[in-house]
């Protein structure tokens, strides 16, 4: 995959960009390359350059926290495309833990992925009232969680930079 993890000056992940954009930031001395892919190089007519994998911008960027946007797709992604009651990945829909008819809102902590069967079984009740248990409690994902889920396979060279916050 030809994407590069971009870190702020304090090493917090802020985005993912193209290899071309990352190279340009490094070339213009606006960023430094922290890791490079060992099995690839960038070529010009007469030179070879390291292929960036993780870069860090040199001047701190004040980025207002926006969080991950609450969308159907992002709820499915957070829940790993599996029903949060039975674990199946077929016929998925969204379920409000506290039904909308009872004042439940469409929020990260009130929405879960559910199969049509479990959703119909739950109906207009809370999961406890019908004997359903959640596989995991719904949470609002952080940007780092979102970055991890944007790649199907976790990039090995990104792990140390994405796990910093969790271990700090």
């Amino acid at each position: 995959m030809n994407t590069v993890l971009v870190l702020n000056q304090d090493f917090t992940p802020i985005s993912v960009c193209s290899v071309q954009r990352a190279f340009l930031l490094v070339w213009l001395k606006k960023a430094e390359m922290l890791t490079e892919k060992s099995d690839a190089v960038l070529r010009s007519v007469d030179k070879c350059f390291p292929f960036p994998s993780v870069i860090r911008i040199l001047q701190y960027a004040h980025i207002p926290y926006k969080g991950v946007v609450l969308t159907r797709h992002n709820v499915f992604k957070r829940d790993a495309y599996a029903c949060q009651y039975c674990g199946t990945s077929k016929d998925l829909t969204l379920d409000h833990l506290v039904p909308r008819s009872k004042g439940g809102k469409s929020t990260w902590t009130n929405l879960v992925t559910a199969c049509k069967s479990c959703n119909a079984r739950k109906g207009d009740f809370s999961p406890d009232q019908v004997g359903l248990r959640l596989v995991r409690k719904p949470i609002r994902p952080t940007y780092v969680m979102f970055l991890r889920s944007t790649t199907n396979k976790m990039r090995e060279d990104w792990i140390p930079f994405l796990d910093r916050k969790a271990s700090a």
Side-chain angles (χ1 to χ4, degrees):
M1 180 163 262
N2 289 333
T3 56
V4 177
L5 178 63
V6 180
L7 305 177
N8 211 337
Q9 187 184 28
D10 65 356
F11 289 90
T12 57
I14 55 174
S15 70
V16 174
C17 73
S18 69
V19 171
Q20 293 83 358
R21 172 96 174 127
F23 177 78
L24 187 61
L25 288 169
V26 172
W27 181 261
L28 296 174
K29 298 189 181 349
K30 293 183 178 190
E32 68 175 327
M33 191 176 331
L34 298 178
T35 65
E36 59 188 71
K37 290 182 82 172
S38 58
D39 59 345
V41 292
L42 294 174
R43 298 182 193 280
S44 71
V45 175
D46 60 348
K47 291 186 181 178
C48 290
F49 300 94
F51 197 99
S53 178
V54 179
I55 65 169
R56 180 177 73 103
I57 59 173
L58 298 176
Q59 191 166 14
Y60 187 82
H62 294 281
I63 299 171
Y65 178 75
K66 293 180 186 168
V68 179
V69 178
L70 177 63
T71 64
R72 177 182 193 86
H73 177 72
N74 285 344
V75 173
F76 285 165
K77 192 183 290 190
R78 176 200 65 190
D79 294 343
Y81 297 93
C83 175
Q84 294 303 288
Y85 300 116
C86 70
T88 188
S89 59
K90 300 201 184 311
D91 293 325
L92 297 178
T93 185
L94 290 182
D95 178 44
H96 287 79
L97 296 176
V98 176
R100 288 189 294 183
S101 63
K102 297 196 166 103
K105 305 283 186 212
S106 293
T107 63
W108 281 108
T109 55
N110 194 45
L111 285 170
V112 294
T113 303
C115 67
K116 289 181 181 176
S117 173
C118 289
N119 202 353
R121 179 176 162 202
K122 183 182 156 292
D124 204 26
F125 300 97
S126 72
D128 294 336
Q129 290 174 314
V130 292
L132 288 172
R133 290 200 163 287
L134 288 169
V135 172
R136 83 181 137 232
K137 184 180 174 184
I139 60 167
R140 180 185 187 122
T142 63
Y143 186 66
V144 171
M145 290 168 64
F146 183 72
L147 272 177
R148 286 180 180 160
S149 65
T150 57
T151 55
N152 294 338
K153 187 178 132 193
M154 185 60 190
R155 298 263 305 264
E156 290 293 322
D157 52 340
W158 289 9
I159 292 173
F161 303 99
L162 294 178
D163 283 341
R164 265 175 208 237
K165 276 285 198 216
S167 61

